[in-house]
Amino acid sequence: MSAPHLPKVAGIDPEVPVSTQTAAPLREIPAAPGAFIQDRLAGWVSDLTTLHELTERLASTATLDAALNELLHAGAALVGARRGLLVLERAGTTTPSTTLGLGLGPADLGHLETVERSATALGRVLDGPPEAADARGGIATPDLLGDQDLDPRHREVATRLGYAASYALPLASEAAGRLGGAVWFYDEPGEPSEKQRHLVGLYARYATEHLARLTELERARADIATVAEELLPSRLPRIPGVRLAARHRTGPQGGGDWYDALPLPDHALGLAVGSVGGSGPSAMAAMGRLRASLRAYAVMEGEDPVAVLSDLELLLRLTEPARTATALFAYCEPATRKVVLAGAGHTPPLVLGDRRCEYVETTLSAPLGMLACWEAPSVEFSPAPGETVLLYTDGLLRRTGDAMDRAFARLHSAAASVPKADRHDPAAVTDHVLRAMLPDGLDRSDSTEDVVVLAAHFD
């Protein structure tokens, strides 16, 4: 007779023995982590959030000066200091060092420079071996005035400026090398905590990489600007009866806007402005070739601006068929105040005087390189004594950010607002127009447009 079977409950076979390794059922909910762990986690999250915000602000800086200022302020916040000093000097280059202070005036910086470099923590992180710094890369001096071995001149300067402690940190990374160093000053004896040193060390390494990129970018921009300036006239000619002034700025990538002023036979003067399509070294090289060619054609047949631009069109079509350009050439006889000009897709000149401010009506024509044969009628006009003829490239209009019709109106308004006392000075006229058109200045880093303004004042 077989043993009775136990009943099954919910599909579980009661004959299968329960494993001795099975955990006992939970009798109560586990206790939450301790307050200490929660506080620590909250502190880590807060530190990471702060570091993220500071690095985001640093990454948004587009110029070296802005980045250095942001680094000084962020470092001071991380180590709990009020004042600081930063020195940027990349080894192996001819770039002069940059010194920037936070909460320190020019006189304060002058006092600090009188202290022997090797006697300061900043000097040691700039020149000393890596072992001179702590594990985080910095040098803490928690009690300057209490240091018996402190350099006497350093003690005198610290007392004068009212700081009692400092923390110096090199600006270095494996990829960028050592770019410089920073030091932050405390009003009372003290030093940053281990957590503060860790955070500012992480921030400084990121900042070093960002500074290295900006340094290379600014060096490249400076090289481009130098090349562009060398491709343009080194000085403007002096012709009786007319005075000249020019302003030119190249975009960060280098562009093709140019101008020229050259003396011609019979005491005449040739004025030209133009723009080559594109940007970068290729556009700059094309601009140089175009300007040189126009000078040659102007010397041979400058009294006929249409012939000058026709020859330039033919040359461009034969040698650089994929290139387009705009140009305006004016043949001037200062003795008789006669101007004959022709334009190829270029913006019209503007005449400014005591009695008028108006654009010269020129014939509408296509840019160079867009037609099989370029030719358009020339325009002749006579500036009155004391009037200024303003030539410019469309980069001046585009940098305003306005639509072209509004930009033309804005230029007219800027010229009309030149004070009467300045209208007989072509340099003052160009500077006033540029200030009115570009309140942020010509050197705005986020603009890719070249700007050329050439003014001719007829006596």
Side-chain angles (χ1 to χ4, degrees), residues 220-232:
R221 288 174 176 172
D223 291 342
I224 287 174
T226 300
V227 172
E229 292 298 328
E230 291 296 325
L231 291 173
L232 297 174

Side-chain angles (χ1 to χ4, degrees), residues 48-95:
L48 290 174
T49 301
T50 300
L51 193 61
H52 175 73
E53 291 175 352
L54 293 176
T55 52
E56 283 287 309
R57 287 173 52 180
L58 181 66
S60 67
T61 57
T63 64
L64 189 59
D65 288 342
L68 294 176
N69 273 290
E70 179 61 31
L71 191 159
L72 264 181
H73 283 82
L78 288 172
V79 301
R82 188 172 60 90
R83 291 177 289 177
L85 175 66
L86 184 148
V87 174
L88 192 67
E89 49 179 17
R90 189 163 190 175
T93 68
T94 58
T95 305

Side-chain angles (χ1 to χ4, degrees), residues 326-358:
T326 66
L328 185 146
F329 178 72
Y331 176 81
C332 309
E333 296 178 356
T336 60
R337 293 189 302 280
K338 173 186 173 184
V339 178
V340 182
L341 65 86
H346 205 79
T347 51
L350 189 147
V351 180
L352 170 66
D354 293 334
R355 296 177 178 271
R356 65 170 173 166
C357 178
E358 60 187 27

Side-chain angles (χ1 to χ4, degrees), residues 51 78-79 136-138 167 169-172 184 194-208:
L51 193 61
L78 288 172
V79 301
R136 301 298 181 192
Y167 183 68
L169 192 67
L171 299 176
W184 291 275
E194 184 68 18
K195 182 178 73 171
Q196 288 175 318
R197 296 187 190 194
H198 178 70
L199 290 175
V200 77
L202 292 174
Y203 179 82
R205 284 192 289 276
Y206 176 84
T208 300

Side-chain angles (χ1 to χ4, degrees), residues 109-122:
L109 295 178
H111 287 305
L112 288 168
E113 289 177 354
T114 64
V115 181
E116 186 178 351
R117 181 160 160 149
S118 60
T120 65
L122 179 59

Side-chain angles (χ1 to χ4, degrees), residues 397-419:
L397 305 176
R398 296 185 188 281
R399 266 208 193 190
T400 64
D402 295 333
M404 292 304 287
D405 56 342
R406 291 177 58 86
F408 274 114
R410 187 170 174 177
L411 175 58
H412 184 277
S413 177
S417 66
V418 175

Side-chain angles (χ1 to χ4, degrees), residues 11-63:
I12 298 177
D13 189 350
E15 293 185 351
V16 178
V18 178
S19 171
T20 57
Q21 303 298 322
T22 303
L26 291 176
R27 302 297 183 184
E28 58 183 10
I29 299 176
F36 171 76
I37 297 178
Q38 288 184 331
D39 291 344
R40 198 166 193 179
L41 288 174
W44 287 344
V45 171
S46 176
D47 292 341
L48 290 174
T49 301
T50 300
L51 193 61
H52 175 73
E53 291 175 352
L54 293 176
T55 52
E56 283 287 309
R57 287 173 52 180
L58 181 66
S60 67
T61 57
T63 64

